[in-house]
Amino acid sequence: MKRVLLSAALAAGVAMPFTVANATDLEVTHWWTSGGEAAAVKVLADNYDALGDNHWVDSAIAGSGSTANPIIISRILGGNPMGATQMNTGRDAEELIKAGLMLDLTDLAEEEGWRDVIRPAKLLEACEYEGHIYCVPINIHSWQWMWLNRKVFEDNGMEVPANWDELVADAPKLREAGVVPLATGQPWQVDGIRNVMQSAIGGIDNYLAVNGDKDPEAVMSDENRAIWEAFAEAREMVDDAYSGRDWNVATNMVIQGDAAAQIMGDWAQGEFAMAGQEAGVDYDCLPGLGMNPVLDTGGDAFYFPKTDDPAITEAQLQLASMLISPETQVEFNLVKGSLPVRGDVDLEAANACMKKGLDILENPDNVLPSTEQLLDSDTQGQITDLALEFFSSDMSVDEAMERQKEIIEQAM
């Protein structure tokens, strides 16, 4: 059955001009379900419907990408594809592309000059396979941020921390005041903390040596040891009930003052905005944990499964074009809290945290490829499992490093 489905899919899907007269319902899957995320999705749906030709049919999948990706992939392989789907910018769809199941967007990308406006270039390169483009990067989301409730510190007679070390030093006093020093939750959030520390504490060179070069010696370095030691500090700063908590619930703990800080990607800004919080007044943001202000070039992209229905193919191409348009890029990213992938748009309305991110991106040396772009899904999974075991136990730093070394030695 799978061979029949793959053969049919390989033969389907030819880029067509936008000429279909009747509106087409296009199902779009994604995992944006928090308050801020839902507001951003509405921007996309409204802008697409406003074109007047086709209709966005929303199909949200509760949970994170780790929950949604298997569902998305299973539907496509099972012959029940959606019209379009959000996935992370990286290698998540690599096997589907190799199988010929995703729509080739190269002609549209060349016609609209995507290579001339998308920055950093690695975002579009992550959508390429054998010289063809298979996705539309829609934003730059970076993990390398720490969010702080300013009033928690000010009300308890403390200076607002400027970096990770200062937060660690404040942790005992925060606990005395009944405040959780660090809010976190589900497994991917915990692993995210360690990932952020890879570049923020270990530095760019170590980050690239471990994840890019797959260098075992870099895993055993003093720089990498410092990462695991900081991760050990983090596991002492969370509350006993952290396990399984949704990321936006953890963000709300910071907003409400129940927690002092959260290490989370810049999508957290959408939650602060929904709560009427102002950057630099109610909350602060520290790129690179205030220690090494670099950002990765992760984010979200939309893929389009192949179809033998010309109307759906045209609707897919129209959506792809809209997602990259200057108007949508500005409106969507201001609501989402992410940065636009276009370097030619006006973001005067950006808040203080977004402007920090934009300033960082001005220097290419500050831009890192995400772990999704550097490591295959199997290696990512093994590292995540190790991080979770370490965080929920008294595993030593030495043992964690040895086990990470074994994983990296086998990485593709």
Side-chain angles (χ1 to χ4, degrees), residues 130-182:
E130 295 186 343
H132 293 261
I133 295 172
Y134 291 92
C135 70
V136 185
I138 188 172
N139 58 14
I140 301 171
H141 262 319
S142 52
W143 251 104
Q144 288 76 22
W145 296 86
M146 182 160 67
W147 308 91
L148 305 167
N149 183 316
R150 291 184 59 87
K151 291 180 172 56
V152 161
F153 296 94
E154 294 167 350
D155 291 349
N156 286 284
M158 292 182 280
E159 294 289 330
V160 179
N163 56 50
W164 170 255
D165 288 341
E166 292 182 9
L167 176 66
V168 173
D170 286 338
K173 190 171 182 179
L174 289 167
R175 287 201 179 279
E176 289 177 8
V179 177
V180 176
L182 184 67

Side-chain angles (χ1 to χ4, degrees), residues 164 182-187 189-191 193-194 197 228 230-239 242-243 263 384-395 400:
W164 170 255
L182 184 67
T184 192
Q186 297 148 317
Q189 299 175 51
V190 172
D191 185 50
I193 294 173
R194 195 201 63 83
M197 290 177 170
W228 285 102
F231 197 42
E233 291 172 333
R235 69 183 173 185
E236 301 301 322
M237 295 166 64
V238 300
D239 61 308
Y242 79 88
S243 182
I263 296 175
T384 295
D385 290 343
L386 172 59
L388 296 178
E389 184 180 350
F390 179 90
F391 202 79
S392 61
S393 71
D394 59 358
M395 182 189 297

Side-chain angles (χ1 to χ4, degrees), residues 192-203:
I193 294 173
R194 195 201 63 83
N195 274 337
V196 170
M197 290 177 170
Q198 278 195 298
S199 58
I201 292 174

Side-chain angles (χ1 to χ4, degrees), residues 15-38:
M16 302 284 286
F18 306 145
T19 57
V20 171
N22 297 323
T24 297
D25 287 340
L26 192 71
E27 182 193 6
V28 184
T29 53
H30 59 85
W31 57 83
W32 290 329
T33 56
S34 75
E37 291 173 327

